[in-house]
Amino acid sequence: IYPNPAYNELNISVEGETIDEVIVYGITGQMILNVQPTGGTIDISNLQSGMYIVEVTIENIKVRQKLLVQR
């Protein structure tokens, strides 16, 4: 997941796999964004500055990573 900190776009790179779903949670655990990306790029321009948790699902495997959004 890059760049981190991010501004308007978030890129997710997975070699040889298809991303099934990406969920962005606020720091309190509330779901903010749920997308099925095409091309590995997600528009996050509507997110406010702050810390988020990004959960990427690939073939029923979930990976979470912290994300800092700056404006």
Side-chain angles (χ1 to χ4, degrees), residues 8-23:
N8 293 319
E9 286 186 344
L10 180 63
N11 297 297
I12 300 173
S13 177
V14 181
E15 292 184 27
E17 299 290 340
T18 301
I19 300 169
D20 298 322
E21 181 178 48
V22 176
I23 301 175

Side-chain angles (χ1 to χ4, degrees), residues 38-53:
T38 55
T41 301
I42 300 169
D43 178 18
I44 58 165
S45 61
N46 60 335
L47 298 182
Q48 297 180 358
S49 294
M51 183 69 68
Y52 295 88
I53 302 295

Side-chain angles (χ1 to χ4, degrees), residues 15-66:
E15 292 184 27
E17 299 290 340
T18 301
I19 300 169
D20 298 322
E21 181 178 48
V22 176
I23 301 175
V24 178
Y25 296 97
I27 202 67
T28 60
Q30 179 183 7
M31 184 172 32
I32 307 293
L33 185 64
N34 184 351
V35 295
Q36 292 159 341
T38 55
T41 301
I42 300 169
D43 178 18
I44 58 165
S45 61
N46 60 335
L47 298 182
Q48 297 180 358
S49 294
M51 183 69 68
Y52 295 88
I53 302 295
V54 178
E55 180 180 85
V56 180
T57 304
I58 303 165
E59 294 183 10
N60 295 323
I61 298 172
K62 296 180 187 289
V63 177
R64 290 184 177 177
Q65 183 174 334
K66 290 181 183 177

